mmCIF file of all heavy atoms in Angstrom:
data_model
loop_
_atom_site.group_PDB
_atom_site.id
_atom_site.type_symbol
_atom_site.label_atom_id
_atom_site.label_comp_id
_atom_site.label_asym_id
_atom_site.label_seq_id
_atom_site.Cartn_x
_atom_site.Cartn_y
_atom_site.Cartn_z
ATOM 1 N N ALA A 294 -123.782 62.925 68.703
ATOM 2 C CA ALA A 294 -123.938 61.443 68.767
ATOM 3 C C ALA A 294 -124.680 61.042 69.975
ATOM 4 O O ALA A 294 -124.631 59.918 70.539
ATOM 5 C CB ALA A 294 -122.693 60.745 68.669
ATOM 6 N N GLY A 295 -125.505 61.938 70.603
ATOM 7 C CA GLY A 295 -126.260 61.651 71.771
ATOM 8 C C GLY A 295 -125.523 61.677 73.076
ATOM 9 O O GLY A 295 -126.020 61.440 74.157
ATOM 10 N N PHE A 296 -124.240 62.212 73.068
ATOM 11 C CA PHE A 296 -123.469 62.326 74.259
ATOM 12 C C PHE A 296 -123.985 63.394 75.154
ATOM 13 O O PHE A 296 -124.430 64.464 74.577
ATOM 14 C CB PHE A 296 -121.996 62.547 73.836
ATOM 15 C CG PHE A 296 -121.281 61.372 73.288
ATOM 16 C CD1 PHE A 296 -120.839 61.445 71.988
ATOM 17 C CD2 PHE A 296 -121.162 60.164 73.982
ATOM 18 C CE1 PHE A 296 -120.208 60.402 71.363
ATOM 19 C CE2 PHE A 296 -120.462 59.092 73.414
ATOM 20 C CZ PHE A 296 -119.997 59.184 72.083
ATOM 21 N N GLN A 297 -123.796 63.185 76.414
ATOM 22 C CA GLN A 297 -124.201 64.390 77.379
ATOM 23 C C GLN A 297 -123.138 65.431 77.415
ATOM 24 O O GLN A 297 -123.467 66.558 77.618
ATOM 25 C CB GLN A 297 -124.497 63.719 78.770
ATOM 26 C CG GLN A 297 -125.584 62.721 78.719
ATOM 27 C CD GLN A 297 -125.304 61.493 79.628
ATOM 28 O OE1 GLN A 297 -124.213 61.417 80.186
ATOM 29 N NE2 GLN A 297 -126.287 60.707 79.772
ATOM 30 N N TRP A 298 -121.903 65.094 77.371
ATOM 31 C CA TRP A 298 -120.787 66.030 77.216
ATOM 32 C C TRP A 298 -119.657 65.428 76.556
ATOM 33 O O TRP A 298 -119.498 64.244 76.515
ATOM 34 C CB TRP A 298 -120.473 66.624 78.606
ATOM 35 C CG TRP A 298 -119.872 65.630 79.664
ATOM 36 C CD1 TRP A 298 -118.584 65.221 79.767
ATOM 37 C CD2 TRP A 298 -120.545 64.955 80.632
ATOM 38 N NE1 TRP A 298 -118.464 64.340 80.779
ATOM 39 C CE2 TRP A 298 -119.653 64.095 81.323
ATOM 40 C CE3 TRP A 298 -121.954 64.913 81.074
ATOM 41 C CZ2 TRP A 298 -120.005 63.294 82.409
ATOM 42 C CZ3 TRP A 298 -122.267 64.130 82.079
ATOM 43 C CH2 TRP A 298 -121.324 63.326 82.766
ATOM 44 N N VAL A 299 -118.801 66.253 76.004
ATOM 45 C CA VAL A 299 -117.681 65.852 75.171
ATOM 46 C C VAL A 299 -116.585 66.749 75.501
ATOM 47 O O VAL A 299 -116.572 67.908 75.741
ATOM 48 C CB VAL A 299 -118.001 65.942 73.735
ATOM 49 C CG1 VAL A 299 -116.748 65.482 72.879
ATOM 50 C CG2 VAL A 299 -119.194 65.132 73.328
ATOM 51 N N TYR A 300 -115.302 66.131 75.702
ATOM 52 C CA TYR A 300 -114.039 66.752 76.048
ATOM 53 C C TYR A 300 -113.269 66.993 74.774
ATOM 54 O O TYR A 300 -113.286 66.090 73.861
ATOM 55 C CB TYR A 300 -113.251 65.972 76.975
ATOM 56 C CG TYR A 300 -113.874 65.535 78.249
ATOM 57 C CD1 TYR A 300 -114.549 64.329 78.437
ATOM 58 C CD2 TYR A 300 -113.945 66.428 79.382
ATOM 59 C CE1 TYR A 300 -115.152 63.891 79.671
ATOM 60 C CE2 TYR A 300 -114.576 66.053 80.555
ATOM 61 C CZ TYR A 300 -115.194 64.785 80.685
ATOM 62 O OH TYR A 300 -115.747 64.496 81.820
ATOM 63 N N TYR A 301 -112.585 68.192 74.697
ATOM 64 C CA TYR A 301 -111.935 68.532 73.497
ATOM 65 C C TYR A 301 -110.446 68.937 73.981
ATOM 66 O O TYR A 301 -110.142 70.011 74.272
ATOM 67 C CB TYR A 301 -112.561 69.776 72.846
ATOM 68 C CG TYR A 301 -113.911 69.465 72.196
ATOM 69 C CD1 TYR A 301 -115.053 69.415 73.053
ATOM 70 C CD2 TYR A 301 -113.889 69.070 70.860
ATOM 71 C CE1 TYR A 301 -116.251 68.984 72.473
ATOM 72 C CE2 TYR A 301 -115.177 68.702 70.357
ATOM 73 C CZ TYR A 301 -116.407 68.702 71.142
ATOM 74 O OH TYR A 301 -117.568 68.351 70.603
ATOM 75 N N PRO A 302 -109.497 67.968 73.702
ATOM 76 C CA PRO A 302 -108.087 68.206 74.092
ATOM 77 C C PRO A 302 -107.310 68.971 73.142
ATOM 78 O O PRO A 302 -106.339 69.645 73.457
ATOM 79 C CB PRO A 302 -107.540 66.824 74.358
ATOM 80 C CG PRO A 302 -108.319 65.964 73.391
ATOM 81 C CD PRO A 302 -109.698 66.484 73.402
ATOM 82 N N GLU A 303 -107.741 69.012 71.848
ATOM 83 C CA GLU A 303 -106.873 69.602 70.796
ATOM 84 C C GLU A 303 -106.948 71.128 70.793
ATOM 85 O O GLU A 303 -107.901 71.714 71.086
ATOM 86 C CB GLU A 303 -107.379 69.075 69.391
ATOM 87 C CG GLU A 303 -107.236 67.622 69.265
ATOM 88 C CD GLU A 303 -107.826 67.070 67.966
ATOM 89 O OE1 GLU A 303 -108.893 67.536 67.626
ATOM 90 O OE2 GLU A 303 -107.201 66.143 67.375
ATOM 91 N N LYS A 304 -105.772 71.715 70.577
ATOM 92 C CA LYS A 304 -105.548 73.159 70.619
ATOM 93 C C LYS A 304 -106.402 73.911 69.740
ATOM 94 O O LYS A 304 -106.773 75.055 69.892
ATOM 95 C CB LYS A 304 -104.131 73.495 70.469
ATOM 96 C CG LYS A 304 -103.214 73.145 71.560
ATOM 97 C CD LYS A 304 -101.762 73.645 71.371
ATOM 98 C CE LYS A 304 -100.880 73.368 72.536
ATOM 99 N NZ LYS A 304 -99.504 73.811 72.291
ATOM 100 N N LYS A 305 -106.857 73.298 68.589
ATOM 101 C CA LYS A 305 -107.605 74.044 67.585
ATOM 102 C C LYS A 305 -108.958 74.445 68.039
ATOM 103 O O LYS A 305 -109.687 75.355 67.528
ATOM 104 C CB LYS A 305 -107.759 73.300 66.260
ATOM 105 C CG LYS A 305 -108.558 71.966 66.369
ATOM 106 C CD LYS A 305 -108.600 71.283 65.020
ATOM 107 C CE LYS A 305 -109.290 69.998 65.064
ATOM 108 N NZ LYS A 305 -109.476 69.362 63.704
#
Side-chain angles (χ1 to χ4, degrees):
F296 292 116
Q297 298 143 351
W298 63 85
V299 180
Y300 303 97
Y301 292 83
E303 294 173 324
K304 287 185 178 180
K305 65 179 179 177

